[in-house]
Amino acid sequence: METLDNTTWDVLIVGTGLRQSLLALALSRSGKKILHIDQNEYYGGAEAAFSLQEAEEWAGHLNKDQPFSNISIHKPEPTGSDLSAPSLSFSRAYSLALAPQLVYARSSLLQYLVSSKVYRQLEFLAVGSWWVYSPETDTTTSSVDEARPPHGKLLKVPNGREDVFQDQVLDFKAKRALMKFLRFIAEYEEQPEVWEEHRSQPFPTFLSEQFKVPTTLHAPLLALTLSAASSGQTTTEYALPRIARHLRSIGVFGAGFGSVIPKWGGMSEIAQVACRACAVGGGVYILGKGLSTANEEPNTTSADGVKIHLKDGELVTTQWVVGEQSARPSPDDAHSRFITVASSPLTPLFPPITEEAPSPAAAVIVFPSGSLKFDREPEGLLYASTSLSGEEGYELLKQATETLLSTVEVSPAPTILWSIQYQQQSGPAEQSRGTTPYDLQFAPASLDLAFDDSIIRDVKEVWQKIMGDGAVEFLVFDDRESYADEDEA
Amino acid sequence: MASHGVSRTAAATERSEEARRKELQQIAAYKDLTDLVNAKISERQYTLEVLGLSTKLLNENPEYYTIWNHRRRILGALLSPQLSDTAPHKDPNELVQDDLQLTFTLLRKFPKCYWIWNHRDWLLRTAESVPGASNARTLWAGELQLIGKMLHADSRNFHAWSYRRFVVAQIERLAPPTTEASSQSLVESEFEYTTKMIKTNLSNFSAWHSRSKILPRLLKERTATAASRRALLASELSLICSAINTDPFDQSIWYYHQYLMSTISPACPAHNRLVLDLSNGERQEHYEHEMEYIREILDDETDCKWIYEALLYLASAYLEVEGGTQAFSTRDMRGWLDQLKRLDPLRKGRWEDLGSTLNV
C-alpha cells in the first residue's frame, strides 16, 4: 500500500464507532475524499462485537483512549465429569456486543437505514417479553439453602391494554389506574398541565400521586424506562418520554413487540455496513491506525486544511477532522457491565409474542438497580448493566445474573459457562469543537440500553457543517444497483 | 373514506406536465377498454378472449361491479357442458383456479371490495358442480385458511368476518353425513377463534359480533342444561365486566355488553335467549350487579359517556322488571342524564328524548 504521508483529504474521520460510521455513510455519496481510520484492528470502537477469543484478546491489551477499564474474564471449571452438561460452543458462535442496545421501532435510525438503502445488508430480530424481577417475600419456604442464590419471581411487563385485560393478578382498581396512566402517556406531550410541574419529582411519586398507581405496578413501569438509576432517582421528565417511546413502538412492525436488535454483532453491525457503504463510495479505510500523540499542539493550517500526524508519523492534510471526545474518568458517568454465557437458552423467558409474529430473540429483565438483556440468538448471552461502578457494581451484576439463572424455571439449573466484566465510561452528552472550527468531536459512546435518536441528530449536525450549502437530503440515497420491485407493503 | 380512524392515503400531489399527459393517456386507454368489453358483452361474445379483456379491466378497477357481472356471464357460458367445439376453451377446473388466483391477488390489494368477495363466493359455489373440480370441501377448507390470513392482516375487516361465517356454514353443510353431528360443527372452534381475536385486540366489533351469533348455537349444540346455560351467561358477563373495567372508553366492549343485556331482557325472543327460563328475580339480580360495578368505575372516571348511558338503560330495564327499587333513585337517573348531555352535547336531542321516555 502506498504511504499516507503527504496526502490530502476533505474529511478525516477518526474511529469507527457508531456515530463516526453513520457520518461516513451520510457522506458516502458526496464525492468528498474521505479517510476513515481506527486505532483498533477491528470496526465498531466502543460498540464493537467480539467472539469469545477476540474478547479475551481485547481484555489482554486495551488501546489507550478507550472508555473501558477493569476488565476481567472468568471461565468456571466444569464441576464433575458430567459429559452431558452443556458446555461452551466454539468461540465464533458468540458475538458479544460491548454496547448492547435495542432499537425501538419508531426510532429514526431504522427509517434512515431504509432511506439510505443499507437496510438490505442488515437483519434485525424482535425483542420479545420484558420482565421485572420481584424478590420472593415468602420467607416460610423451608430449607434456606445458603449456597443457592435468592429465588424470586419474574413478572411480565404489560405492553398495553390487552395485556392488562388478561392479567389475573391485578384487581380492577389497579387495572383502571394503570389504564388511565397508559392513556395519558399515549399523548402526554399534549397534557403538560398534568406533569410539567412535577417534572423533577421521582417517577414513582408521580405515579402514586397523580394516577393512584399502586406500588406493585411501579416496578413494571420503571422497567420500561430502562433507567440505569435507582427508582428514587429516576425523574418524571426522564421516564415519561421513554415509556411513551416504548408503548408507541409496540405493534409498529407486528403485534406484540416494539423493538429490535441487529442479528449479528449488535450496533457494530450497523457501523460496519455504514463504513462499507462509504468505502464503496470511495472512502479509504485503514484499521490499526490512530492519530499520533504529537498532535497536542495546535496544528498548522493552510488553505488545504489542517495538517495532522498519524500514528506512524504520516502527515496528512484535511479540511475536516471528526473524532470522538475521550471520556473523562468520573465515577458519576461510569457503568459496570457483565456479560455471561449461560448454559441454557432460558426458554421460559421467551413465550411466543403472538401467533405468526417473529419469534423473539431477546428478552429484557429489569432488576431493582440494573437491567439484564438476554439474547437467545445467535447464542445465549446475558448482558447486565448498572450505573453503580467499581466492585459494588460488579457484585450487584453478578448477583442479579445468578438470581436470574436460579429464578428461571429450567432444568437442569443453568450455570455460567463464561463471563466478562468491565467498566465503561461515558461523558458529557454534547458534541464539542476541538482546537479549530474544522475539528469536530462526537460525544463518547452512550451507555444507554436503548438506541437514542439524539445520536442521529448529532451525526446530522456534523454532516451539515461539513456539507455546508451542498447539504441536500440526509441519508436518502438511491440504490446503486437496481433491485427487483419488492411487494408493496 | 376513513377506515377505523385511519385515512386512506390521498393522492393529491402536484403533477408535472409530463405526468399529467401520461395520466390522460392512461384514462383514454381505460375508457377504450371499458367500451370494448361492454360492446363485446352486448354482442354476447362470451369467449376466452373477452374473459381476458375483463381480467385486464378488473385488475385496474375491481370496484366496477358491472364488469364482474359480465365476467360471470362469460364464465357461466364457458363452464357450461354445451360449449361448441369450435370455440377455444379451457379446462373448467383451470378456469376456476384462474379466477381464484385473480380474486386472491385483488383481495390482497383491495380487501374491502364487496364485489371481489361476492365473486369469489359465486365461484366456489359454482365450482361445486364443475366436473373435475377439486373436492368442494377442500375448496372451502382452503377458504377458511385464506380468511384466517386476511383476518390476521386486518382483524377488523368486517367483510372477512362475514365471509368467514359463510365459509364455516358451507364446510358444515358439506361434512360427510356419516360422522356424528357434533364433530361436523365448527361452532366450538369458531368460539375459540373469537376469544383469541378479542384477546389480541379488545376493540374488535366484528369479533364480538361473531361471538354473539355463535353463543345461542353453541349452547344448543352442547345440549346445555339450564345450569350450564347460566354458567355460560355468567362467564360471558364476567368477561365483559373485566373488559369494561380495563377500558370503559371502548365502544365495542359496551356493544357486547348491550347484547348480553338484550338476551336477559324479557323482550328477548326465544331463539336468541341464552338462558331459556330466566325469572324476573334473576333478571333483577343481574341488573343490580351490573349497575353496581359500573357505578364503581365512576369513582375513577367521571368523563366516560358510555357509563352514564349504560346506567340509564340498565335502570330502565330494572324498572320494567321490578317497579320499586332501593338501588337507585330518579334523582340518580337525572344526574346521569345531565352528565350525558354535558359529555355529548351534539346528541342533546337524543338525550332529551331518552329522558322523556324514561320519565326522568
Side-chain angles (χ1 to χ4, degrees), chain A residues 47 121-123 262-274:
Chain A
E47 286 113 348
Q121 299 161 56
L122 291 163
E123 228 184 301
K263 182 167 182 179
W264 306 103
M267 300 314 271
S268 79
E269 198 183 329
I270 299 179
Q272 285 188 57
V273 159

Side-chain angles (χ1 to χ4, degrees), chain B residues 196-311:
Chain B
K196 186 178 89 164
M197 293 310 258
I198 288 159
K199 285 195 172 155
T200 312
N201 184 355
L202 284 172
S203 299
N204 196 330
F205 274 102
S206 297
W208 289 115
H209 176 69
S210 254
R211 198 180 178 85
S212 70
K213 291 275 161 237
I214 288 170
L215 280 183
R217 243 191 95 195
L218 185 73
L219 287 166
K220 190 155 159 230
E221 283 193 19
R222 287 181 181 174
T223 51
T225 60
S228 50
R229 280 177 179 270
R230 281 172 172 77
L232 183 65
L233 177 62
S235 84
E236 289 300 295
L237 286 171
S238 158
L239 177 73
I240 208 64
C241 167
S242 200
I244 289 173
N245 269 290
T246 304
D247 191 0
F249 290 91
D250 188 280
Q251 190 179 10
S252 48
I253 298 176
W254 285 108
Y255 166 80
Y256 192 68
H257 184 255
Q258 268 177 20
Y259 158 73
L260 291 174
M261 293 301 108
S262 78
T263 64
I264 297 177
S265 151
C268 182
H271 61 269
N272 280 344
R273 282 185 218 156
L274 296 178
V275 174
L276 304 172
D277 54 350
L278 268 181
S279 70
N280 271 349
E282 285 178 301
R283 291 194 172 102
Q284 195 182 324
E285 271 171 29
H286 281 303
Y287 294 145
E288 261 175 20
H289 175 254
E290 297 298 304
M291 288 184 77
E292 193 189 320
Y293 82 74
I294 293 174
R295 270 174 108 163
E296 248 178 56
I297 305 178
L298 287 175
D299 293 344
D300 299 317
E301 300 287 357
T302 50
D303 287 348
C304 178
K305 80 165 196 184
W306 309 117
I307 296 180
Y308 299 112
E309 210 181 334
L311 286 172

Side-chain angles (χ1 to χ4, degrees), chain A residues 396-472:
Chain A
L396 188 72
L397 294 179
K398 186 146 178 284
Q399 219 184 54
T401 304
E402 286 169 351
T403 307
L404 176 68
L405 291 178
S406 81
T407 304
V408 177
E409 276 161 44
V410 178
S411 141
T415 54
I416 297 178
L417 297 176
W418 186 97
S419 70
I420 182 172
Q421 65 195 37
Y422 55 97
Q423 198 125 299
Q424 183 172 357
Q425 198 74 42
S426 184
E430 268 122 51
Q431 315 197 110
S432 71
R433 292 174 184 286
T435 47
T436 72
Y438 301 102
D439 183 359
L440 303 166
Q441 303 266 319
F442 282 121
S446 137
L447 297 172
D448 202 332
L449 286 168
F451 179 84
D452 195 282
D453 282 7
S454 59
I455 293 177
I456 305 271
R457 206 189 53 216
D458 294 345
V459 172
K460 188 172 182 182
E461 213 180 286
V462 172
W463 170 81
Q464 266 165 343
K465 285 199 180 100
I466 293 177
M467 293 296 290
D469 291 332
V472 187

Side-chain angles (χ1 to χ4, degrees), chain A residues 214-251:
Chain A
T215 39
T216 43
L217 286 172
H218 290 184
L221 288 173
L222 272 162
L224 296 182
T225 66
L226 281 179
S227 164
S230 71
S231 59
Q233 291 173 324
T234 305
T235 60
T236 302
E237 66 179 333
Y238 178 83
L240 290 181
R242 293 172 76 100
I243 297 179
R245 176 179 62 174
H246 179 96
L247 294 173
R248 287 170 188 166
S249 291
I250 302 279

Side-chain angles (χ1 to χ4, degrees), chain A residues 212-413:
Chain A
K212 299 190 257 170
V213 173
T215 39
T216 43
L217 286 172
H218 290 184
L221 288 173
L222 272 162
L224 296 182
T225 66
L226 281 179
S227 164
S230 71
S231 59
Q233 291 173 324
T234 305
T235 60
T236 302
E237 66 179 333
Y238 178 83
L240 290 181
R242 293 172 76 100
I243 297 179
R245 176 179 62 174
H246 179 96
L247 294 173
R248 287 170 188 166
S249 291
I250 302 279
V252 170
F253 289 152
F257 70 101
S259 55
V260 295
I261 51 169
K263 182 167 182 179
W264 306 103
M267 300 314 271
S268 79
E269 198 183 329
I270 299 179
Q272 285 188 57
V273 159
C275 290
R276 195 178 308 144
C278 183
V280 169
V284 174
Y285 278 81
I286 318 272
L287 291 182
K289 183 76 71 183
L291 294 181
S292 158
T293 43
N295 284 316
E296 299 305 338
E297 309 102 48
N299 301 292
T300 36
T301 325
S302 67
D304 292 333
V306 65
K307 293 196 187 314
I308 295 210
H309 287 273
L310 301 185
K311 183 185 84 175
D312 299 307
E314 306 97 323
L315 185 68
V316 300
T317 310
T318 172
Q319 293 281 2
W320 297 93
V321 183
V322 184
E324 188 176 302
Q325 295 166 44
S326 319
R328 266 172 297 282
S330 133
D332 290 335
D333 286 326
H335 282 208
S336 303
R337 297 235 150 136
F338 192 65
I339 309 179
T340 314
V341 178
S343 64
S344 141
L346 300 184
T347 313
L349 291 178
F350 297 91
I353 295 176
T354 59
E355 217 177 275
E356 298 183 53
S359 96
V364 178
I365 310 103
V366 180
F367 279 67
S369 307
S371 4
L372 280 73
K373 177 167 89 77
F374 183 66
D375 278 2
R376 182 156 69 164
E377 258 183 74
E379 284 271 346
L381 287 171
L382 255 174
Y383 292 97
S385 166
T386 181
S387 60
L388 211 57
S389 53
E391 271 312 307
E392 252 189 312
Y394 289 151
E395 255 320 297
L396 188 72
L397 294 179
K398 186 146 178 284
Q399 219 184 54
T401 304
E402 286 169 351
T403 307
L404 176 68
L405 291 178
S406 81
T407 304
V408 177
E409 276 161 44
V410 178
S411 141

